[in-house]
Amino acid sequence: MSEHEQTFQAPTPSPSSAPLPLRLVPLSPGLALGPVWLYRSPALQQQSQPQPTAADKGRRLTPDQVAEEQQRLRLAVEQAVAELQALTAQVARTVGKEEAAIFEAHQLILQDPEILDAAIERISQQGLPAEQALREVAEENAQLLAALDDELLAARASDVRDATGRVLRLLSGTSTTSLLPQAESVHEPVILVADDLTPSDTATLDPRLVAGICTVFGGPTTHAAIIARSLEIPAVSGLSPDLFAQLTPGQRIALDGGRGLLYLNLTPEQERELQQRMQQQQQERAERLQQRERWRGRPGATADGVPVAIFANVGDEEGAKQAAALGAEGIGLLRTEFLFGGREQFPDEEEQETAYRRLFHAFAAGQPAGKTIIARTLDAGADKPFPALEALIGSLQEANPALGLRGARIHLCHEELLRQQLRALLRAAQATGITLQIMFPMIATLEEVRRLRALTEEVLAELEGQGLQLTPRPAVGIMVETPAAALMADVLARAVDFFSIGTNDLYQYVMAVDRTNGRVASLFGRLEPAVWRAIAQVARAGQQHGRLVAVCGELAGDPLIGPLLVGLGVRELSMNPPALLAVKERLARQPLAYWQEQAQRLLQAETAAELQHMLESIA
């Protein structure tokens, strides 16, 4: 038997009188019953020991070893970032884009000078091995976060330990895969009992093997808890270290994640009752999924029949197929960057047209009639590296890239690139029968809109002169992402056919939080009153001028928030495909007047905490 295998022991006999359950912290709702699977997080154990081990004491690098050790650390970080990129893509497919963003933040943590550069410096200044230097720096940063009064910020200490723990495992050549429940070692779903779980640990759990989670540390705002809720694994935290030490593998326990209860030493009566409640829970969940499935082929609408277009955000051909399979009524955000990123040379017009045709066909599945695709023109700059573009305009490594040359600003500097893309999109739409709409990113002024519309008309006239007929002519809209666009929405509405609010960037600019900066990324995520009011202002301007207002950011795909956006006046929600059915189902529960009333309530909130409390009361 390997050191990672666990020996299941018979459960301890239960006393005749039913013991009261322990009251812990609820993390993720639901009931779970099964044998204990004990897990001690190697990443957290490594990070919680910043002092040198006995083997490391007295070990100091010689001057000629320093450069080699620094390079070893850099390579491990590069490998860890590559692993995180793969994990991000996996979680986006299996859980959701919002949860995947957790691991994008982990990549930023590893690239943060506060950690990497500091560790490199300790290697040279103190002669420390790479493992020890990184462990010390990471733990110092984690403890600074953990000591903060803000619960959300304090919870990010686990993210620092998780991200750097991945590098430490690569440096030491160890793996944690076999420590977690695997199909070959689990005969029935288990209760995973751990000192703590990192987000990486939680994201790799199989809900078919893990019935529930109980931890010593961790709270409801940690990323591990967020992922557990997304995976619908019941979870509690707050188990005392003493009880954790007393539990044995295979001991049957149960938990109620909604009420924060943990049942130890189950009596037969308790187990029978819990089994019945679990069966009822599973039946209710199956019924919910069946009800949700009914929405696959139905259009989005409120309970009183007000139509709301439920579209998908798509970034490649596979995403288009998934969106079609899940019943998306259209593509509300086609991220055309999939053709450009990471290339030394831009694709020519013919290659672009071919790729767009393939994607349009994948979404239409032979039935293009009535299918709409809204293509966002190349949104280069900021956090999106494009080597081919840098060959034309120089380095995009700016002091403030989010405030620099990006989106529409690049279009207006290099119009021929945009003309090529527009021609390719329009030809592909004409060839496939798709109804194409065009929207421009990163708009701040009316002058930008006027110039981009004029340029689009020039391209249309050119193609029509060549015999290309597009019916209907493509609508032209803009992304509302900057405070300037939100404040000028009443003016911009007269110059465009529609608005699409990109809530991710709008949040970033309204709240002055750079979501690509590891030091402040943890501030990004909670719905803030300022952001909600900005969305409301854009929605009012759209209604006053008869312009459709859409939302294509993460908020649209939240089943709780999406319908409230409709209450503000939004009539198109575009989201990652896995969220489509849940949002349709939730929207249809109440008439428009209800969603309007609740959306107006949220406008009265003065703090994020108040707004969150209101959201929970609506839920």
Side-chain angles (χ1 to χ4, degrees):
M1 180 180 298
S2 75
E3 62 178 354
H4 298 316
E5 290 182 280
Q6 302 200 24
T7 305
F8 285 100
Q9 301 177 4
T12 305
S14 305
S16 57
S17 59
L20 293 175
L22 299 175
R23 288 202 169 273
L24 303 182
V25 179
L27 298 185
S28 179
L31 295 168
L33 171 67
V36 166
W37 180 284
L38 290 176
Y39 176 74
R40 294 182 183 274
S41 171
L44 296 177
Q45 288 180 42
Q46 280 182 306
Q47 294 287 9
S48 64
Q49 299 173 7
Q51 297 303 316
T53 63
D56 286 331
K57 285 181 180 179
R59 182 192 169 194
R60 289 294 182 268
L61 302 173
T62 61
D64 58 341
Q65 292 175 317
V66 167
E68 181 181 346
E69 198 72 2
Q70 290 174 329
Q71 181 64 6
R72 195 167 72 91
L73 177 57
R74 291 191 185 97
L75 290 174
V77 168
E78 287 179 11
Q79 188 177 345
V81 169
E83 287 184 1
L84 286 166
Q85 289 171 341
L87 183 59
T88 300
Q90 174 195 328
V91 173
R93 289 193 304 270
T94 59
V95 185
K97 183 75 174 178
E98 187 173 349
E99 291 76 14
I102 293 168
F103 301 104
E104 291 178 348
H106 282 200
Q107 296 172 47
L108 296 173
I109 289 170
L110 294 183
Q111 296 161 338
D112 185 347
E114 279 289 317
I115 293 177
L116 181 57
D117 289 358
I120 292 290
E121 184 178 353
R122 287 198 190 190
I123 293 173
S124 61
Q125 297 296 323
Q126 301 179 30
L128 298 180
E131 293 90 337
Q132 185 181 337
L134 179 61
R135 186 183 297 118
E136 289 184 5
V137 169
E139 187 58 23
E140 287 168 10
N141 278 267
Q143 288 183 8
L144 285 173
L145 285 170
L148 295 175
D149 292 334
D150 187 305
E151 183 182 2
L152 279 173
L153 288 174
R156 298 295 84 86
S158 178
D159 292 288
V160 171
R161 290 175 175 134
D162 188 5
T164 53
R166 182 179 295 273
V167 180
L168 289 170
R169 292 195 298 277
L170 288 169
L171 288 168
S172 64
T174 60
S175 170
T176 63
T177 304
S178 56
L179 297 174
L180 291 166
Q182 305 293 317
E184 61 273 14
S185 55
V186 172
H187 307 298
E188 64 173 305
V190 300
I191 306 290
L192 182 63
V193 183
D195 49 356
D196 200 354
L197 287 177
T198 66
S200 296
D201 290 334
T202 314
T204 57
L205 296 179
D206 186 340
R208 295 169 300 179
L209 305 178
V210 179
I213 297 169
C214 175
T215 62
V216 175
F217 304 106
T221 60
T222 62
H223 282 148
I226 292 168
I227 294 171
R229 289 193 289 271
S230 299
L231 293 171
E232 297 189 0
I233 299 177
V236 296
S237 69
L239 181 68
S240 75
D242 289 343
L243 280 175
F244 177 66
Q246 293 173 24
L247 290 173
T248 56
Q251 176 181 343
R252 293 189 72 78
I253 64 173
L255 60 86
D256 183 332
R259 294 193 292 168
L261 302 178
L262 178 67
Y263 296 82
L264 301 174
N265 300 317
L266 286 163
T267 66
E269 292 78 12
Q270 282 179 319
E271 186 159 348
R272 279 195 297 270
E273 180 187 351
L274 287 167
Q275 287 280 16
Q276 291 173 354
R277 289 173 59 195
M278 286 176 60
Q279 289 173 0
Q280 181 181 357
Q281 172 185 284
Q282 291 166 357
Q283 182 178 349
E284 290 173 353
R285 182 173 183 270
E287 289 172 356
R288 285 199 310 273
L289 292 175
Q290 188 175 7
Q291 286 182 333
R292 187 174 295 174
E293 188 64 25
R294 294 183 297 127
W295 290 97
R296 187 180 292 268
R298 295 168 61 180
T302 59
D304 53 339
V306 177
V308 178
I310 305 297
F311 284 12
N313 298 337
V314 167
D316 54 30
E317 189 176 336
E318 283 304 311
K321 291 177 182 177
Q322 184 187 25
L326 288 170
E329 300 169 52
I331 294 177
L333 170 62
L334 172 58
R335 300 184 181 96
T336 58
E337 295 80 42
F338 77 95
L339 267 174
F340 299 89
R343 298 180 57 151
E344 296 297 330
Q345 290 187 329
F346 275 129
D348 61 23
E349 197 170 313
E350 183 179 352
E351 182 183 349
Q352 289 185 53
E353 181 185 343
T354 300
Y356 295 140
R357 281 196 194 199
R358 288 172 57 90
L359 190 147
F360 293 176
H361 276 305
F363 180 66
Q367 297 178 320
K371 293 289 181 72
T372 297
I373 292 180
I374 303 172
R376 180 181 69 189
T377 56
L378 178 62
D379 188 14
D383 58 328
K384 305 179 182 75
F386 293 91
L389 186 62
E390 294 198 11
L392 289 176
I393 66 175
S395 174
L396 291 175
Q397 301 299 314
E398 302 170 302
N400 291 298
L403 306 180
L405 196 62
R406 62 169 297 196
R409 298 169 182 178
I410 291 178
H411 292 335
L412 296 176
C413 287
H414 296 274
E415 292 183 2
E416 185 52 35
L417 291 177
L418 178 60
R419 290 176 186 273
Q420 285 184 4
Q421 185 176 29
L422 289 174
R423 287 194 294 264
L425 284 165
L426 292 165
R427 287 197 178 103
Q430 193 273 339
T432 57
I434 283 286
T435 298
L436 178 69
Q437 298 182 13
I438 302 292
M439 65 179 175
F440 297 107
M442 190 59 180
I443 294 296
T445 69
L446 179 62
E447 290 84 356
E448 291 170 339
V449 175
R450 286 174 173 169
R451 180 61 193 132
L452 290 167
R453 283 215 73 149
L455 193 151
T456 304
E457 290 299 323
E458 291 171 15
V459 171
L460 279 166
E462 174 190 344
L463 293 177
E464 287 169 349
Q466 298 170 4
L468 185 77
Q469 295 298 321
L470 278 170
T471 306
R473 284 173 70 85
V476 176
I478 62 170
M479 296 282 292
V480 178
E481 304 165 287
T482 66
L487 290 168
M488 293 291 287
D490 58 333
V491 173
L492 295 173
R494 297 196 295 267
V496 301
D497 300 316
F498 65 91
F499 289 137
S500 186
I501 304 173
T503 53
N504 294 353
D505 267 329
L506 184 63
Y507 190 110
Q508 172 174 246
Y509 292 122
V510 167
M511 300 305 300
V513 173
D514 181 359
R515 59 198 174 106
T516 70
N517 184 333
R519 301 187 193 184
V520 296
S522 57
L523 298 173
F524 185 87
R526 285 187 296 181
L527 185 57
E528 289 279 352
V531 177
W532 192 250
R533 293 184 183 194
I535 295 170
Q537 180 169 330
V538 177
R540 283 195 299 270
Q543 289 174 320
Q544 290 167 3
H545 293 274
R547 300 292 188 261
L548 180 136
V549 178
V551 170
C552 61
E554 295 295 339
L555 294 182
D558 187 317
L560 178 58
I561 296 175
L564 296 170
L565 291 167
V566 173
L568 288 180
V570 172
R571 289 298 177 269
E572 179 187 301
L573 299 172
S574 191
M575 63 206 69
N576 293 305
L580 289 163
L581 300 183
V583 172
K584 283 186 183 181
E585 189 271 337
R586 174 83 180 179
L587 178 65
R589 290 185 190 179
Q590 299 288 349
L592 177 62
Y594 172 83
W595 298 122
Q596 288 174 327
E597 178 185 352
Q598 300 306 322
Q600 291 301 311
R601 273 186 62 204
L602 295 187
L603 289 174
Q604 306 308 310
E606 297 180 353
T607 67
E610 284 181 23
L611 202 152
Q612 186 62 38
H613 179 72
M614 290 179 182
L615 284 173
E616 290 171 358
S617 70
I618 295 169

